[in-house]
Each structure stands twice: as C-alpha cells, then as structure tokens.
Amino acid sequence: MSTSGLSVTRDLAERYASVVTSLSADEWAAPSRCAGWSVKDLVAHTGSNFAALTDPTPVDPSAPAPKTAEELQELLVAQRRDWSAPQVAEEFLQNMEGALAALAAMQEGEMATAPITLTDLGTYDAHQLADAFAFDLWCHMYVDLLAPEGPVHRPVEPHDHQSVRAAVDWMWTGLPQMCPQVISALTRPLGVVLTGPGEGEWTLTPAEDQIMVSAGVGSSDTVVSSSATDFVLWGTRRSPWPKHVTISGDHAYAAAILDLIDVV
C-alpha cells in the first residue's frame, strides 16, 4: 500500500495550504513556472483535484470529453479562471481534508486494488493515487510556486528525503505508461543514479515491448546521474536534461533515451 505516499501528501498539502493563505494580490497574479498558468491557476489546479475526490463536478454530456490529462487539467483551470483569489483559496482549503480522507480510504480492502484510469497517463491501483498526489503537490509547490524556481518567496526548509522520494517513486511508477515512446530507444539496460534527498538507484530495461523499472543499477554499462530534485525538473521537461545530467558510458545511447522521457 502507498501509506508513505499518503503521509507525504498530507504533509505537503498542509505546507501548501500555509502558503496559499499567505499570498498577496501581486503573488496571486504572478506567472508560475508552470507554462501558461498564473499562481492563481496553479492553486486552482490543485484545488480542483482535491474537489474531484470529494465532490466531482458533473460532466456536461454535450461537451467533448478531454482525451488527455493535459486537456482535462486545462479545462478544470479554465472553469475557474474568472474566480476571485479568495474563491480559489476556499476551494483548495475546504476540500483538502476530504481529499486526504478519500486517499486514505483507497489504502483499505478491495478499494486499494481497484483500477483507476488517469486519461492517457495509464491505469493504476487506487492506492497509488496517494503517490500521484504527493508528486503533484511537491512538483507544483517547490518547482512551480516557490522560489528559487517559482515566483513566491517564502522561507523553505531543506528538502527531506521522504517527500522527494515519494515524488520520484511516482515518476518511476508512471514512466512505463506515460512514456511508452522510450521503448523505441531502450535496447539494453540503462542505469539511473539520483543523489541527495530522494536518492536511489534504478535500471530501465526493455521487456517484451514494455519498460521495466527495477531497483539498483546492476551491471548496466551506461549510467546517468543527477540529483533527485533535478530529476523532477528534467524528467517532466521543465528543464533540459543536459543541464542536470552526467553520463557514464555510451553518451549517444543515453541521450536518445533521455530525449524521450516526459513524465506528467
């Protein structure tokens, strides 16, 4: 079960809430690091995801259904773009505890293994949704919202291993389904070493036209390395991987794979 992801999600949601309640008018209007979204849009995104777990908005049967996660999230944010900042904050804060309770319920009994399809991002066990929220909260808060990457300046404690690792673990869980294009370049094992908070070692291996992610680098002849926090940047294409990654072994082979990684 994803109990660690649930614990991280709760902690990050509380940290995020403390920032939301402190935002000034100028900060609400500032462009976030998430392309095309203001800080208000970013908070609306998170609040709408909380609301989807507690009180989902009925789907308009006459409107075309979003086919991708990006289309769905853009739609949810667009529906809230005319809201005031206090309205956006209220949705976030009022639905936070209910969303956390829903994620906790997904760790129990038969519900834990019920399949949940996240549009084009793949199908996962319900208990893994807590990990997805941990990733989403960490990435949006520390990459898109707070300085030095984002526009909002607040005192930030050093990153802790558990929170960063929860984000990284979700990225590895999602990569095989979110980035099927990687298999076109993955012809032999590629090792990945991430350092600092969230650190660990993994190997990407081709297996019957699928990508297998396993712990450790084993005997991989090519290994890529970066910090775990930078992996969130380059693994989501918020920043180009050459800025953060060092390669030991076959540079051209590793580069061909890294060019295809785009975790959402």
Side-chain angles (χ1 to χ4, degrees):
M1 298 302 100
S2 302
T3 52
S4 176
L6 177 63
S7 175
V8 168
T9 295
R10 174 172 288 280
D11 182 51
L12 290 175
E14 291 173 351
R15 295 187 215 173
Y16 203 156
S18 68
V19 176
V20 168
T21 56
S22 72
L23 292 171
S24 68
D26 287 344
E27 288 171 334
W28 277 108
S32 77
R33 199 180 189 283
C34 194
W37 282 0
S38 66
V39 168
K40 182 161 76 76
D41 292 334
L42 193 70
V43 177
H45 159 72
T46 306
S48 68
N49 282 343
F50 285 164
L53 289 179
T54 60
D55 185 23
T57 302
V59 176
D60 180 355
S62 65
K67 295 180 180 179
T68 68
E70 183 176 0
E71 289 176 357
L72 175 59
Q73 297 306 327
E74 287 288 352
L75 174 62
L76 292 172
V77 169
Q79 290 173 343
R80 292 158 171 78
R81 193 150 280 139
D82 291 336
W83 290 15
S84 67
Q87 286 176 303
V88 169
E90 182 180 21
E91 180 180 53
F92 180 107
L93 298 169
Q94 287 193 346
N95 287 287
M96 186 177 79
E97 286 300 329
L100 291 168
L103 292 172
M106 292 179 190
Q107 308 301 311
E108 305 294 335
E110 294 182 0
M111 185 180 293
T113 54
I116 291 182
T117 299
L118 305 177
T119 56
D120 61 326
L121 304 185
T123 299
Y124 305 89
D125 289 345
H127 73 89
Q128 294 177 301
L129 199 59
D131 299 329
F133 269 78
F135 160 76
D136 198 66
L137 285 164
W138 193 94
C139 185
H140 286 315
M141 182 162 59
Y142 289 112
V143 177
D144 299 326
L145 179 65
L146 294 176
E149 300 292 341
V152 175
H153 292 263
R154 295 289 185 279
V156 177
E157 296 180 3
H159 294 304
D160 63 282
H161 172 79
Q162 188 176 16
S163 295
V164 180
R165 184 57 181 266
V168 166
D169 282 345
W170 171 252
M171 292 175 71
W172 290 131
T173 296
L175 185 143
Q177 295 187 76
M178 296 182 198
C179 308
Q181 65 275 13
V182 169
I183 199 64
S184 66
L186 188 68
T187 58
R188 64 183 191 274
L190 176 71
V192 181
V193 175
L194 301 180
T195 59
E199 66 185 356
E201 298 182 351
W202 294 265
T203 297
L204 308 184
T205 307
E208 298 181 356
D209 295 326
Q210 295 182 348
I211 306 161
M212 183 172 69
V213 181
S214 55
V217 296
S219 58
S220 304
D221 62 7
T222 299
V223 177
V224 303
S225 305
S226 82
S227 71
T229 52
D230 282 348
F231 174 54
V232 180
L233 285 170
W234 64 260
T236 61
R237 292 196 179 179
R238 281 170 167 77
S239 185
W241 66 260
K243 183 178 177 181
H244 308 282
V245 174
T246 58
I247 298 173
S248 173
D250 188 336
H251 190 284
Y253 174 64
I257 295 169
L258 296 178
D259 282 343
L260 298 173
I261 292 178
D262 184 13
V263 178
V264 178

